[in-house]
Amino acid sequence: MIKRIKSTDIKLFSTKENTYLYFSPKGTIIKLKSGIMKDSIVKLINNNEFINKGESEYGDILIAATESAPKATYKRETEARYTAILNLSGVCNLRCEYCFAKVDGKFNFDNMTLDQAKDIIDYLVKSHPERNDFDVCFFGGEPLLNFNVMKEILEYNDMKYKSIKFNYSITTNGTIISDEIIDIIKKYNIGILLSYDGIDNYRPFQGGKSSTDIVLNNISKLNSKNVNLTLRGTITSDSTNIVDTFKGFEDKKIPFEVAFAYSSFNDNHNLSTYSNSELKQIKVQMSELADYYYDLLSKNANCYCQSLKKALIDIYFKVLSNKCCSAGTRNLTFNANGEIYTCQHFANKKEYSCGSLSDGINKEKLSKFIAPDLKEITECKDCWCRYLCGGCCFAEKFAENDSIYINNVNKCTLEQIKYSTFLEICQRLLENDSEYFNKISNKYNL
């Protein structure tokens, strides 16, 4: 029985028609009726650290509503697939200013040879004899600059591990797409995550020439071949066209994800550092984005933004997160020399390795570079957004604060802006059609 609730567990938000209360521990949304009741509850939340049962009429109404709400479902990290990220290439043909994989303008890992890639796959299979499937992601640098090794390791896995199912993906900048590459991608059903930010971006070639036209041409080529393609856009702190960016992706009718630029050990730019004025501008733009997606989705139009659809489904069905990701538990990153990292964000700093193929995993170092549970992050305990963001990216926090437990205030504000936008879109859609999410969960097989 709930005897009191923390005001910081509550987020008040409004659509154009109503005011709502989001109660984070249960992921439940409660509509506040107009008039005295709404005003009293808002005042109660704003003026009290705790709302105690038996102290006020409207406090009791609020506690009763949260108490009767169904429990949320928490994502079970144990259900995640096991993913090995192979840093196939230690070079790149682009000079993206915000690249998180670089330190001092370079990669501190080498191109992977076929023998090194074989050693990693053998280690992976040997260290998990209970598994008969693995996800393998080719990463870099630009992995397609080392295409021959990628092709050969695919053939090696086919020959040696016939009883094991490998699910392949690649993260690429989309500048190097040949007919041979497409044939291999289709043969092994390799999922492509292709980085593309839109017409105006920070993704030039090393000599300074724009990569946009070549990438757009390759996107069309891949799409025409019906490959498993997802676009991935980055929003930088100085973005002034967030809505146009999303519109541009939607117009392509290709699945896509969009994320804000990561903070990393690459500190030669400020594109992932968000000032108060930039956050205010982003908040305005995200409000406009809410209008755009409400107009789009309320007409039952197709939505290609995977991250938005997933977030809205999670909000509606009350699926919450106790941690930000499975890096270090279900995900490991491997460099050419056999060094092992919990996350690709750490792979450019040898001192952040958690082990090697020869020595195995160092449990003490592993614990230092692994996504913590929310209960371990003191600053998250008083944030309404914590079960939606899972505590934010722990690698970003380490890059900024040398600790996975210390949050960056501006990044937390950014997450709060993002999820406030998602909450608003969710409720506006339900005001229009109360069965909306039951319908689209079947439509999109979510």
Side-chain angles (χ1 to χ4, degrees):
M1 180 179 293
I2 297 177
K3 294 184 178 179
R4 68 176 187 176
I5 55 178
K6 291 194 302 183
S7 295
T8 51
D9 280 342
I10 294 170
K11 167 66 178 174
L12 294 169
F13 69 97
S14 299
T15 64
K16 297 186 186 310
E17 297 181 12
N18 298 294
T19 298
Y20 294 90
L21 177 154
Y22 177 74
F23 182 59
S24 60
K26 285 192 171 183
T28 194
I29 297 173
I30 300 168
K31 179 181 175 182
L32 297 184
K33 296 178 181 179
S34 59
I36 296 175
M37 178 181 177
K38 182 183 77 172
D39 294 341
S40 298
I41 288 180
V42 170
K43 184 177 180 180
L44 193 65
I45 292 168
N46 289 337
N47 293 340
N48 295 276
E49 180 181 1
F50 289 97
I51 300 169
N52 297 298
K53 193 169 185 178
E55 289 187 349
S56 68
E57 175 187 357
Y58 295 110
D60 288 351
I61 292 173
L62 180 57
I63 289 174
T66 55
E67 189 174 44
S68 62
K71 291 183 179 180
T73 300
Y74 284 85
K75 295 176 184 175
R76 294 182 62 189
E77 190 261 338
T78 54
E79 293 177 354
R81 306 182 72 102
Y82 192 97
T83 301
I85 299 171
L86 275 61
N87 274 331
L88 198 65
S89 171
V91 292
C92 186
N93 57 343
L94 294 189
R95 195 184 68 225
C96 307
E97 291 187 40
Y98 55 70
C99 178
F100 71 77
K102 290 182 179 179
V103 175
D104 297 327
K106 61 183 180 180
F107 302 100
N108 291 324
F109 48 85
D110 298 324
N111 281 0
M112 197 172 285
T113 67
L114 176 59
D115 286 341
Q116 290 170 329
K118 287 180 179 178
D119 288 343
I120 292 168
I121 297 298
D122 292 345
Y123 171 87
L124 188 67
V125 174
K126 184 178 179 180
S127 58
H128 297 279
E130 78 286 356
R131 297 200 64 89
N132 59 9
D133 68 327
F134 295 93
D135 290 357
V136 175
C137 175
F138 299 110
F139 208 77
E142 170 48 51
L144 288 177
L145 288 171
N146 200 7
F147 171 67
N148 285 338
V149 169
M150 183 181 112
K151 180 175 66 173
E152 289 168 340
I153 195 64
L154 293 168
E155 294 168 352
Y156 172 78
N157 292 349
D158 248 12
M159 291 291 293
K160 184 171 182 178
Y161 296 110
K162 296 183 184 297
S163 63
I164 292 178
K165 169 67 173 174
F166 289 98
N167 307 289
Y168 297 108
S169 64
I170 184 170
T171 297
T172 175
N173 62 32
T175 60
I176 310 168
I177 303 296
S178 66
D179 290 340
E180 183 185 8
I181 288 173
I182 291 175
D183 288 343
I184 291 296
I185 285 168
K186 289 182 70 68
K187 177 180 179 180
Y188 292 96
N189 192 28
I190 301 173
I192 301 177
L193 185 63
L194 191 153
S195 298
Y196 169 72
D197 298 345
I199 301 301
D200 300 318
N201 58 60
Y202 291 94
R203 304 182 64 79
F205 284 101
Q206 291 292 343
K209 181 182 176 182
S210 171
S211 64
T212 299
D213 289 343
I214 290 174
V215 173
L216 280 173
N217 183 62
N218 286 334
I219 288 172
S220 296
K221 185 186 297 185
L222 289 165
N223 198 36
S224 69
K225 297 293 185 178
N226 296 315
V227 301
N228 180 9
L229 173 64
T230 301
L231 304 181
R232 199 271 191 195
T234 296
I235 297 176
T236 52
S237 59
D238 61 349
S239 294
T240 58
N241 60 349
I242 291 176
V243 177
D244 288 341
T245 296
F246 277 83
K247 284 182 179 178
F249 278 110
E250 291 288 351
D251 288 344
K252 286 180 174 46
K253 303 186 185 306
I254 297 172
F256 71 96
E257 301 173 355
V258 175
F260 289 95
Y262 291 115
S263 297
S264 68
F265 303 107
N266 175 11
D267 55 7
N268 294 328
H269 67 90
N270 60 2
L271 297 173
S272 59
T273 303
Y274 300 81
S275 67
N276 289 333
S277 61
E278 287 169 335
L279 287 169
K280 288 179 181 177
Q281 177 61 29
I282 288 173
K283 186 175 182 179
V284 171
Q285 293 182 77
M286 292 297 283
S287 179
E288 295 170 355
L289 188 69
D291 290 337
Y292 167 71
Y293 269 110
Y294 170 71
D295 290 339
L296 180 76
L297 296 172
S298 62
K299 297 172 185 174
N300 291 317
N302 284 331
C303 172
Y304 293 91
C305 183
Q306 305 300 96
S307 42
L308 172 64
K309 288 191 297 189
K310 185 66 168 60
L312 292 178
I313 287 290
D314 283 350
I315 288 171
Y316 178 75
F317 288 105
K318 301 176 179 61
V319 180
L320 306 180
S321 299
N322 275 319
K323 61 188 333 184
C324 66
C325 70
S326 56
T329 53
R330 312 291 292 185
N331 291 19
L332 289 174
T333 297
F334 298 83
N335 280 356
N337 62 1
E339 291 170 349
I340 304 173
Y341 298 81
T342 60
C343 171
Q344 59 267 43
H345 285 249
F346 296 124
N348 213 16
K349 306 267 285 184
K350 184 174 182 178
E351 61 267 35
Y352 299 149
S353 165
C354 66
S356 67
L357 298 186
S358 57
D359 299 329
I361 299 292
N362 182 314
K363 291 184 179 180
E364 183 179 347
K365 295 194 74 175
L366 180 73
S367 65
K368 186 178 180 181
F369 303 111
I370 197 169
D373 290 332
L374 281 175
K375 62 186 178 182
E376 300 176 78
I377 310 172
T378 302
E379 294 166 290
C380 288
K381 293 178 180 178
D382 290 322
C383 178
W384 66 268
C385 192
R386 63 190 184 274
Y387 295 116
L388 296 173
C389 73
C392 296
C393 175
F394 76 98
E396 281 195 87
K397 289 191 273 193
F398 192 90
E400 293 172 339
N401 305 307
D402 201 34
S403 171
I404 61 176
Y405 303 105
I406 301 175
N407 293 342
N408 178 283
V409 174
N410 286 344
K411 279 299 176 69
C412 289
T413 301
L414 190 62
E415 289 296 293
Q416 291 163 359
I417 291 170
K418 181 176 74 174
Y419 281 105
S420 293
T421 303
F422 294 163
L423 286 168
E424 179 187 346
I425 295 171
C426 178
Q427 289 310 118
R428 289 177 69 179
L429 290 169
L430 289 172
E431 289 170 351
N432 183 61
D433 180 359
S434 62
E435 291 298 312
Y436 179 82
F437 289 102
N438 289 315
K439 294 174 183 176
I440 72 159
S441 63
N442 294 324
K443 177 180 178 181
Y444 293 117
N445 195 27
L446 295 172

